Amino acid sequence: MAGTEISVPPEQFTKIKEGVLITEKALEEGEDGVCRVREHPSSEELEAESTHGALQAKIPGGKLELVLAIPEEGEKHILTLQTAHLTSEDAELQDLAPQHQGEVPVVVQQAGSGVQSLVRLGEGSQQSLHQCVTISIQEEMYPLQEVEVMQFHVLEENVTGASEDSKCAVSLAESSGSIKEEEQLLVEGGFSEETEGQFFLVEARPGDEIVLTISTLNTEKPALGQAHVEKANATKSRKKTKEVKRTFHCDICMFTSSRISSLTRHMKTHTNEKPHMCHLCLKAFRTVTLLRNHINTHTGTRPYKCGDCDMAFVTSGELARHRRYKHTHEKPFKCSMCKYASVEASKLKRHIRSHTGERPFQCCLCSYAGKDPYKLKRHMRTHSGERPYECHICRVRFTQRGTMKIHILQKHTENVPKYQCPHCATVIARKSDLRVHLRNLHTYRAAEMKCHYCPAVFHVRHALLQHHKTHKNEKRFKCEHCSYACKQERHMTVHIRTHTGEKPFACPSCDRCFRQQQLLNVHFKKYHDTTFVPTVYKCPRCGKGFSRLNNMQRHLKTCGSGQEKPTTSEKGRRTKKRKPTIPKETAKEAEAAAEEASLVSGEQYPGGLVPIDFGEATAGGEDLDEDMTCEMILAMMEK
DNA sequence: AGTGTTCACGCCCTCTGCTGGCATGTA
DNA sequence: ATACATGCCAGCAGAGGGCGTGAACACT
């Protein structure tokens, strides 16, 4: 690594402390329009206020790599640490053995295990901490019992320059908080010549998560350079440590390799040199292997055939993966926080984002951020309006294929299975809607729901609604002044006016008042609306006009036989049949009958009929019947 | 250097579930 | 006529499966 600024693809790492890394993060927009975390200000937990650092970690195959970006005066430096799991036996050896310079072994005790914790960072270090970066490792994500022994290797040496007498203090505490923070293990530490004076404070804090605070001293800007070779920090007497060897660094990216041939090959990835061209499509490739695989896609050559199904693949790796997915179901990548396991490491990494909440793929048009590139891409359709999926039957387009499939199923498919509510007779087309139904109607609610009509109370809405039906068709509104009863409260409101004498609907053109709006409307049309043309029913025999159909029909019985027809002025008129007039013995009963017809007269006319006086306006010169029903009034008003 | 294997990334898919607008029935 | 309740429906996002591909790695 040869730059002062390293662009670390966030997807390669797992966020380990959201509060520090994300909430104060600064976003950098990448080439793909995706904003990524580059750095963040120091948190209050940092012992040196001037220290900033983007810190990310990844867990490749059981190792935990921590990448610290420690900006100083506008610069950023990268320190890569790598942990290595050790056995307890290793740890015992480790406890007494002097550490090689450059090593930062950390022995972490499992909470309650009784084994003394130890973190060893090197020799000759002191507690002199000028800069630090806090690393928070959620215990669930990386359980202590799985990191009984950790070793930090300095993989990138871009942080240098502390004084020799600087020391590093390490304190450990159980995540449960049972260990006092004062119980610190002071461990001396140091590094190789190149990293002399670089020290770390690793400390675990009690709480829900283990917090490792790594502090460094006096970071310096690394030297810029081309692809360079430097001696790696060698470790000794350790398992899983790298031998002393030369490391070849790419000056363009973070790539390092122990072989110059690998670096040479790698450097071709930074060029567009692709000497191997496909003779079928002229597509070029860097290596002959890639070209051969590509040609196989043309020819359909898939030499690696699955023995358990008809699938075949270009490479053996694809076949092996396929077999794990489809046949062996081997899932070596297990989540430490839940039971999830996956065939591929990338899937576990993606899954862990559902625990950490990390959303590296930021929409540049809104606040949405996705956990993987596809979700961001799918989300972008909401901005572009793109609807790639079309129903082949009705041509309606959709943003997602799943939505279209549901559409086709529900709209264009017969015998679609439906979901029966287990608590009532409701059948719902979609399971998700059934869930809503259950939530709204069949979920117990602590708050009592009272019946509008009786003292009964319920805690399940469906039970209340069922109970309401028991009140149906019952004239539950009873007048306290007389024997009148009705089904609807609004009718009772009107009826009460017959006792109070209230007539709230006043004609704006004269001094008349009415108890109902409908009566006022009819009055206004008759006396004050010059454009109003009343309906006239003419006798087909004698031509006599009637304002109401039933009067004309009654007339016909004496005048002759035959069906009448309304005049042209009645065209389009509603022709509801009049309810049969039921003789009532009392005015109250008449009111009740009128109430049944959704109209209660303020006047006391028997039979529930409303007297309407059309005067001389009728064509036939006949006064309107006084026993006109509400339907007729409504029909007239409609006209 | 050649070649096979492993790893990582990316793409696309399906399934699932929540949300809110709309249509419709009911009071 | 109106308000309200509720199922229907499309939109949208979360989560995970499966596979194609290229680069790095490891072996010969």
Side-chain angles (χ1 to χ4, degrees), chain A residues 107-128:
Chain A
V107 181
V108 182
Q109 172 199 11
Q110 180 180 354
S113 67
V115 178
Q116 189 173 19
S117 304
L118 173 65
V119 173
R120 186 190 297 274
L121 295 176
E123 306 219 3
S125 58
Q126 294 177 352
Q127 246 184 317
S128 178

Side-chain angles (χ1 to χ4, degrees), chain A residues 250-253 255 266-273 286:
Chain A
C250 173
D251 64 336
I252 298 175
C253 70
F255 174 79
H266 164 81
M267 294 307 292
K268 291 180 181 177
T269 66
H270 292 302
T271 71
N272 289 326
E273 183 186 359
R286 291 192 182 92

Side-chain angles (χ1 to χ4, degrees), chain A residues 300-321:
Chain A
T301 304
R302 290 170 175 263
Y304 298 92
K305 301 187 189 309
C306 177
D308 295 321
C309 68
D310 294 334
M311 293 287 284
F313 301 89
V314 174
T315 67
S316 61
E318 288 177 71
L319 173 60
R321 184 176 57 180

Side-chain angles (χ1 to χ4, degrees), chain A residues 80-140:
Chain A
T80 301
L81 304 178
Q82 180 175 357
T83 67
H85 284 263
L86 298 177
T87 64
S88 300
E89 188 179 0
D90 295 330
E92 291 177 8
L93 296 173
Q94 182 74 17
D95 289 347
L96 299 176
Q99 296 306 302
H100 188 277
Q101 287 184 330
E103 290 180 352
V104 190
V106 181
V107 181
V108 182
Q109 172 199 11
Q110 180 180 354
S113 67
V115 178
Q116 189 173 19
S117 304
L118 173 65
V119 173
R120 186 190 297 274
L121 295 176
E123 306 219 3
S125 58
Q126 294 177 352
Q127 246 184 317
S128 178
L129 306 166
H130 296 168
Q131 297 188 19
C132 65
V133 175
T134 298
I135 304 171
S136 168
I137 303 175
Q138 292 183 359
E139 186 176 6
E140 301 82 10

Side-chain angles (χ1 to χ4, degrees), chain A residues 121-175:
Chain A
L121 295 176
E123 306 219 3
S125 58
Q126 294 177 352
Q127 246 184 317
S128 178
L129 306 166
H130 296 168
Q131 297 188 19
C132 65
V133 175
T134 298
I135 304 171
S136 168
I137 303 175
Q138 292 183 359
E139 186 176 6
E140 301 82 10
M141 182 174 148
Y142 208 83
L144 278 180
Q145 54 267 38
E146 293 186 13
V147 290
E148 285 181 339
V149 181
M150 301 171 74
Q151 178 180 21
F152 287 83
H153 302 282
V154 176
L155 301 182
E156 304 294 340
E157 301 177 350
N158 293 326
V159 187
T160 61
S163 62
E164 279 192 42
D165 57 354
S166 297
K167 290 184 178 179
C168 180
V170 177
S171 71
L172 287 176
E174 294 186 5
S175 61

Side-chain angles (χ1 to χ4, degrees), chain A residues 20-21 40 43 45-48 51-55 67-71 131-136 201 212-216:
Chain A
V20 173
L21 297 177
H40 67 88
S43 73
E45 294 178 339
L46 301 184
E47 295 185 41
T51 299
H52 297 62
L55 184 151
V67 178
L68 311 177
I70 306 170
Q131 297 188 19
C132 65
V133 175
T134 298
I135 304 171
S136 168
L201 170 69
L212 298 180
T213 301
I214 294 186
S215 305
T216 66

